[in-house]
Amino acid sequence: MSNIGPPPEDFAYLAPPKSSIDDVPRYYNETFYSKFKRKADENPFVPIGMGLTTLALTYGLWQLKTGDTKMSQLMMRSRIVAQGFTVFAILGGVLYGAGSSKKKSS
């Protein structure tokens, strides 16, 4: 059961939160496509790595189905390399973002 009523005296010194249209971040009401585009602009290597991973996986599975096990094995190894590239791209973007946020706050 929730207790609806005046706030406790301990929090009487806190000002109520502002509600202004300027306080809303620009990404608050964005669509899936606009969010993907914004994230891809911030770190373009992640979508590239995702695409390479998807292509290697798809082609490798196709080659496995057609019976070319040697090419399928090569594509599965290529998929691992592409996944590693994607992980390093994500980590690089996080480190870059953390470094740029420190510069902004200084």
Side-chain angles (χ1 to χ4, degrees), residues 27-97:
Y27 51 84
Y28 184 71
N29 290 324
E30 64 186 346
T31 64
F32 175 79
Y33 176 73
S34 62
K35 182 177 181 178
F36 182 81
K37 185 174 180 334
R38 178 175 57 85
K39 293 287 188 176
D41 289 342
E42 290 173 3
N43 192 354
F45 294 114
V46 173
I48 292 170
M50 289 170 49
L52 291 174
T53 302
T54 303
L55 286 173
L57 177 64
T58 305
Y59 189 65
L61 289 174
W62 178 257
Q63 290 301 317
L64 184 64
K65 182 180 177 187
T66 59
D68 189 359
T69 56
K70 188 174 181 179
M71 181 57 83
S72 175
Q73 194 62 236
L74 179 66
M75 287 294 106
M76 291 301 128
R77 290 178 182 152
S78 300
R79 176 187 58 90
I80 298 298
V81 170
Q83 283 178 323
F85 174 80
T86 306
V87 168
F88 282 118
I90 292 169
L91 289 174
V94 167
L95 292 175
Y96 178 76

